[in-house]
Amino acid sequence: MFSNLQDKLERAFKVLKGQGNITEINVAETMKEIRKALLDADVNYKTAKTFTDQVKQKALGQNVINSISPGQLLTKIMNDELTALMGGTTSELDLSKNPTIILIAGLNGAGKTTFSGKLANYLKEKKGKKPLLVAGDVYRPAAIDQLEVLGNQVGVPVYTDRTSTDPIAIAKAGVEEGKKNGNNVIIIDTAGRLAVDEPLMVEISAVKEATQPHEILFVVDAMTGQDAVNTAKAFNDRLDFTGVVLTKLDGDTRGGAALSIKSVVNKPIKFIGTGEKMDALDVFHPDRMASRILG
Ligand code: GDP
């Protein structure tokens, strides 16, 4: 993950190597390289520009202490700024309601069903919760089977209704079922589409209205780069979601989405998916991700 970006940043830092001081000229040169590296990693243009401008300003404002090299100083500033760019601190799920209703949204293939299973597993194993999964992806019959298989794997019940093709009715019935059975978290998997379209937005908004979720998690494939950010914006404009789940960060992603999403939609990344298995889920920590990017 991020290997491309790491290599490029390393090269950018080399411009500063051997320089005794941070000067306007060598910082400007390095920032140009860093901006290029970020754009190549699919970071949104405005985000990359604002970011490098800020780093430059901070770097020039520093009194260079003799014991710290310009490269080290810039690494420290970059680390702080990357952390801030990704939201600063970890944003936890709000699980205070009983039951807490969590709606899962996103396009087809983003990893919603897989994430629903992972989240149920995480809440059961790490948070001592008693979740219920609700199979709301009515257009893809295999999705219902898939969620049942995952629920079985992680030992979490799954509410299904194969006789209905009404995602709103299913979501509502699922919530009622969970309340009846004493489930303190209800995770509703929903249908996606190949691309953002009006029927999808109308439908998911109606499911939101009908179930009044406490958390709406938007799931997006990190490999889709700039598209991930555009899709996030489209969903957020309609749904006002509470957090982002970036999936497939284990693959050969350039990682730009992780850096751009917070600044474009102003919603935190809450989880990252790092594989197909049910335990391949991490709570997102901006500081750890920043360290990983800087290598
Ligand atoms: P949905 O259509 O949004 O419900 O997407 P799925 O949950 O069916 O996932 C689509 C594909 O992506 C499946 O083959 C999953 O196994 C795979 N997938 C989901 N999350 C991850 C992840 O974090 N890493 C990897 N490598 N694959 C994932």
Side-chain angles (χ1 to χ4, degrees):
M1 180 184 26
F2 294 124
S3 53
N4 258 341
L5 182 57
Q6 277 163 350
D7 286 353
K8 292 214 172 91
L9 288 178
E10 213 165 283
R11 252 173 278 148
F13 281 133
K14 284 215 175 101
V15 180
L16 274 179
K17 219 175 143 194
Q19 311 271 350
N21 266 314
I22 290 213
T23 68
E24 187 109 28
I25 293 167
N26 59 30
V27 163
E29 189 66 21
T30 309
M31 285 308 121
K32 219 169 84 187
E33 292 297 319
I34 286 175
R35 183 145 71 223
K36 254 200 277 175
L38 292 172
L39 293 176
D40 283 346
D42 249 345
V43 173
N44 164 281
Y45 179 78
K46 203 164 150 248
T47 305
K49 167 114 179 55
T50 312
F51 176 78
T52 45
D53 285 350
Q54 269 163 4
V55 173
K56 183 174 153 189
Q57 216 175 36
K58 291 239 161 91
L60 290 174
Q62 298 276 336
N63 287 320
V64 183
I65 320 159
N66 285 338
S67 59
I68 188 168
S69 72
Q72 284 169 323
L73 178 64
L74 205 57
T75 306
K76 160 95 180 66
I77 296 170
M78 285 274 294
N79 190 63
D80 292 350
E81 291 297 309
L82 280 175
T83 304
L85 185 64
M86 290 184 283
T89 51
T90 300
S91 182
E92 300 271 353
L93 282 184
D94 175 8
L95 297 168
S96 60
K97 306 292 185 302
N98 188 9
T100 296
I101 298 170
I102 305 177
L103 190 65
I104 312 297
L107 294 180
N108 276 348
K112 289 182 300 300
T113 304
T114 307
F115 170 70
S116 298
K118 288 178 180 178
L119 180 63
N121 183 47
Y122 164 82
L123 292 174
K124 178 173 169 251
E125 297 299 327
K126 301 272 164 65
K127 299 280 175 183
K129 295 285 179 186
K130 196 183 162 203
L132 172 72
L133 285 158
V134 178
D137 186 350
V138 291
Y139 304 117
R140 202 164 60 93
I144 301 176
D145 301 340
Q146 188 188 344
L147 196 64
E148 276 192 321
V149 168
L150 298 178
N152 230 337
Q153 253 179 49
V154 301
V156 169
V158 182
Y159 175 82
T160 63
D161 180 356
R162 287 183 168 81
T163 62
S164 172
T165 51
D166 177 355
I168 299 149
I170 292 175
K172 272 170 84 167
V175 170
E176 287 316 310
E177 176 82 5
K179 284 182 179 164
K180 205 176 74 196
N181 294 337
N183 296 105
N184 47 19
V185 185
I186 299 169
I187 302 165
I188 307 171
D189 186 20
T190 63
R193 295 285 193 282
L194 289 176
V196 174
D197 65 15
E198 191 54 23
L200 167 65
M201 290 302 168
V202 168
E203 182 178 289
I204 188 87
S205 301
V207 174
K208 174 184 172 183
E209 188 60 37
T211 56
Q212 298 289 311
H214 307 101
E215 290 272 357
I216 303 174
L217 298 178
F218 167 69
V219 180
V220 66
D221 178 346
M223 311 267 281
T224 58
Q226 300 262 3
D227 275 348
V229 178
N230 296 334
T231 313
K233 198 169 175 324
F235 271 78
N236 192 49
D237 286 348
R238 290 297 279 269
L239 277 185
D240 191 19
F241 55 67
T242 57
V244 178
V245 179
L246 263 188
T247 63
K248 310 187 195 179
L249 270 173
D250 49 312
D252 190 21
T253 169
R254 289 183 286 178
L259 293 172
S260 313
I261 276 187
K262 175 68 172 62
S263 67
V264 175
V265 295
N266 199 25
K267 294 290 167 68
I269 298 172
K270 294 200 174 185
F271 292 97
I272 54 174
T274 54
E276 297 187 73
K277 297 227 173 75
M278 285 297 96
D279 59 358
L281 181 74
D282 289 326
V283 170
F284 183 70
H285 297 288
D287 52 345
R288 289 187 207 165
M289 187 60 86
S291 308
R292 244 157 107 172
I293 291 171
L294 292 173

